[in-house]
Amino acid sequence: LTPTLMATSLFPSGTEVGAVYGTMSSRDIVMLSPNSAVIGMQSAEAAENAISSALVKERLAEIGQHQIRYSKARRELGYTGTHGGPDGTEPLRKLGSKLIVDGDMPTKALFTSHASTLFLRNLDPTVTKQDIAEYFQPFCSVARDVQGSAEFVTCREGLP
């Protein structure tokens, strides 16, 4: 959960709770840990009312529900050091001890086309490749390739 996501979903405009407490921005929320946050309210009275509000408790329960994400997994293959096949030239492989989860890593093409990579986690779901390129451009000696220099790792359903 990010401050931006929490700000847009806790008191959304057009809802009863949004009308009572007003809209929030990500600047109003400080994440203390992945499971706790401090929310700046418009007044002490609004904070006191929010603590006992059934509407706020309902919104928090809805925000706390996580959609289950799933990805395909397979065992890694390691070489045995021996060869087989009809002519004895095919390297033999066996299942290794590591589990590889599709979606955990960017594609091989990204790794082979770049000298080094950064892995960014817990980005706001609204962040785009363009946003990332613009952020890192001041640190680059050449213009960033927006489409080729960023890749979003997603689950089987296409979710981050």
Side-chain angles (χ1 to χ4, degrees):
L1 198 58
T2 64
T4 302
L5 185 60
M6 191 173 210
T8 57
S9 55
L10 185 57
F11 303 130
S13 59
T15 64
E16 186 178 353
V17 71
V20 172
Y21 296 103
T23 58
M24 304 192 105
S25 76
S26 58
R27 293 182 303 270
D28 298 323
I29 300 171
V30 175
M31 299 300 294
L32 300 176
S33 75
N35 301 321
S36 62
V38 175
I39 301 171
M41 300 296 285
Q42 294 176 359
S43 67
E45 183 183 354
E48 193 66 39
N49 290 339
I51 290 171
S52 60
S53 169
L55 289 172
V56 174
K57 287 180 186 174
E58 183 180 301
R59 293 298 308 152
L60 288 170
E62 289 175 16
I63 291 172
Q65 296 176 358
H66 298 284
Q67 184 172 6
I68 296 173
R69 294 178 171 91
Y70 60 95
S71 298
K72 180 181 173 184
R74 56 191 156 77
R75 299 270 303 274
E76 74 170 345
L77 291 176
Y79 292 104
T80 63
T82 59
H83 293 77
D87 60 357
T89 61
E90 292 294 317
L92 296 178
R93 298 183 287 174
K94 66 177 181 176
L95 293 176
S97 61
K98 292 182 182 175
L99 187 64
I100 298 170
V101 179
D102 294 343
D104 272 356
M105 299 285 292
T107 62
K108 184 177 179 180
L110 182 74
F111 284 123
T112 57
S113 66
H114 292 78
S116 60
T117 58
L118 292 174
F119 185 65
L120 307 173
R121 297 188 95 166
N122 300 325
L123 289 175
D124 190 290
T126 61
V127 171
T128 65
K129 289 182 179 184
Q130 183 68 39
D131 295 334
I132 294 169
E134 288 173 4
Y135 179 82
F136 285 106
Q137 185 57 54
F139 307 103
C140 299
S141 59
V142 295
R144 305 236 16 111
D145 170 17
V146 174
Q147 294 306 314
S149 291
E151 193 171 289
F152 291 107
V153 178
T154 59
C155 74
R156 195 172 190 93
E157 294 178 328
L159 300 170

